[in-house]
Amino acid sequence: MTTSNATRGGVGNARAGANFALIKYWGKADAVLNTPAVGSISITLDTLYTDTEIVFDATLARDELVLNGKRRDEDVDKISACLDLLRKPRGVTTRARVTSRNNFPTGAGLASSASGFAALVRAAEVALGLNLTPRERSIVARQGSGSAARSIFGGFVEMYAGTASDGSDSFAEPLLAADAWPLEVVIAVTAKGEKEIGSRSGMTRSATSSPYYPAWVAGQTADLATARVAIAARDFAALADVAEHNCLKMHAAAMATQPPLVYWNGATVECLHAVRRLRADGVPVFFTIDAGPQVKAVCEPGARSRVEAVLRDVPGVLDLLTSRLGPGAEPT
Ligand code: PMV
């Protein structure tokens, strides 16, 4: 059934929203299983997403990827490894043509790999006629990109690091629905190119050479617990404090890596100060920054226009993107 779907040339389409972490993932427990060294908590976005179509085609000798209209042969191995997790146990050998489009800048610290692999898993599931559980989807997506395990779900999401040697307890689960606490996001884009050092190699380098890496890992359980309580209580001030603290610890560990990982530019730092000044003035907003120079400002809905106005005026800000919290990855 499954195999014949594939050899007949099954087609699947899916959309997945980008996510970013409020309590970050930085460091791997196992490079092959791609299990994280620490748990994380994220929010999934509704207006930044990846649309993916996958066509299993018996005439193909290898998988193919077209991303944003360009062939990306250099990324095919990662796609193939992820698809093999679905193909191999079912005896499927058919190769696939994957056509994917991000509606936001790719590879610049805006979680394109998260939405990309989540959409890939959902689209492949449809094309192969599978019926995976949400947990199975999350586990397969994790092996494509750690943060992709979270984009399977909408709203607030928690990712567990897990301890099992086969990675079976390393998956994400929903924590709170998007409409239960409708926070909003303003992203200050301060550079548009793809980043030089991807998170995968960056975090591996941090683990072996940053003197702050052990402290980063040791503090995560407490930060996760604080954030969980803050989210359950919709306590914005508490979430703001722990999210900024966690973000700065991740970047401190990254910066102390050898050779160093400085993901920020000048505008990143100016945005960070602008957000802190706003909060000191009583505006409910906090920042977070991933492995790139963009600043994500999370705010209560009533504060969004003020946050946008302030960040737009920061020298070096090229563009603002806004979003609400969005749904999990779904077939389209
Ligand atoms: O999933 P990856 O390998 O792209 O790593 C994500 C790392 C950060 O974005 C910096 C943090 C996170 O939790 O998303």
Side-chain angles (χ1 to χ4, degrees):
M1 162 75 183
T2 308
T3 308
S4 64
N5 263 350
T7 47
R8 275 209 314 266
V11 179
N13 286 274
R15 172 175 292 183
N19 78 76
F20 61 81
L22 307 180
I23 304 298
K24 310 257 178 225
Y25 150 49
W26 192 252
K28 292 187 192 301
D30 183 301
V32 177
L33 290 168
N34 204 34
T35 47
V38 291
S40 54
I41 292 177
S42 60
I43 49 179
T44 302
L45 307 180
D46 71 344
T47 54
L48 278 70
Y49 52 78
T50 301
D51 281 324
T52 293
E53 180 187 73
I54 184 164
V55 180
F56 284 87
D57 179 345
T59 66
L60 293 177
R62 60 187 308 243
D63 295 320
E64 290 177 8
L65 171 66
V66 174
L67 176 61
N68 298 329
K70 284 198 203 104
R71 265 190 80 126
R72 300 271 292 212
D73 292 342
E74 67 278 23
D75 291 329
V76 164
D77 287 351
K78 280 189 276 180
I79 301 283
S80 295
C82 188
L83 291 176
D84 282 345
L85 298 170
L86 297 175
R87 284 187 292 221
K88 278 197 177 148
R90 297 165 180 91
V92 177
T93 53
T94 316
R95 305 286 107 188
R97 186 176 304 109
V98 177
T99 310
S100 220
R101 188 166 286 282
N102 296 329
N103 74 338
F104 59 94
T106 299
L110 285 175
S112 53
S113 64
S115 50
F117 279 101
L120 177 73
V121 170
R122 288 299 260 139
E125 180 184 355
V126 171
L128 292 169
L130 310 179
N131 195 7
L132 304 179
T133 64
R135 181 173 300 183
E136 287 170 331
R137 289 173 193 141
S138 185
I139 287 174
V140 174
R142 182 201 79 226
Q143 291 169 82
S145 162
S147 52
R150 301 184 309 228
S151 269
I152 294 294
F153 304 102
F156 291 81
V157 178
E158 175 156 11
M159 171 82 195
Y160 308 110
T163 53
S165 58
D166 63 353
S168 57
D169 58 354
S170 182
F171 53 83
E173 276 184 346
L175 204 54
L176 188 72
D179 57 4
W181 196 14
L183 297 181
E184 297 199 12
V185 172
V186 179
I187 300 173
V189 177
T190 66
K192 288 198 171 164
E194 296 202 21
K195 63 197 172 202
E196 280 166 36
I197 308 290
S199 20
R200 187 174 285 243
S201 61
M203 62 177 77
T204 305
R205 242 205 245 167
S206 288
T208 51
S209 70
S210 174
Y212 302 151
Y213 181 78
W216 153 254
V217 173
Q220 194 75 347
T221 304
D223 287 0
L224 287 166
T226 304
R228 250 181 250 126
V229 171
I231 290 166
R234 323 289 198 266
D235 183 341
F236 191 89
L239 185 61
D241 284 347
V242 72
E244 289 188 353
H245 178 58
N246 187 268
C247 164
L248 293 175
K249 283 193 295 185
M250 183 203 108
H251 283 277
M255 286 181 198
T257 299
Q258 286 175 315
L261 296 166
V262 183
Y263 287 111
W264 303 356
N265 59 33
T268 312
V269 180
E270 290 304 332
C271 287
L272 179 161
H273 284 302
V275 168
R276 285 174 61 77
R277 273 196 300 273
L278 274 170
R279 194 150 87 262
D281 286 349
V283 179
V285 58
F286 65 86
F287 67 78
T288 190
I289 307 160
D290 290 300
Q294 329 302 0
V295 175
K296 289 117 182 184
V298 181
C299 62
E300 290 185 349
R304 196 185 80 191
S305 53
R306 176 105 187 258
V307 172
E308 280 185 89
V310 166
L311 290 180
R312 186 175 291 118
D313 279 352
V314 172
V317 169
L318 307 174
D319 209 353
L320 292 183
L321 307 172
T322 58
S323 185
R324 296 192 166 86
L325 307 196
E330 288 296 342
T332 45

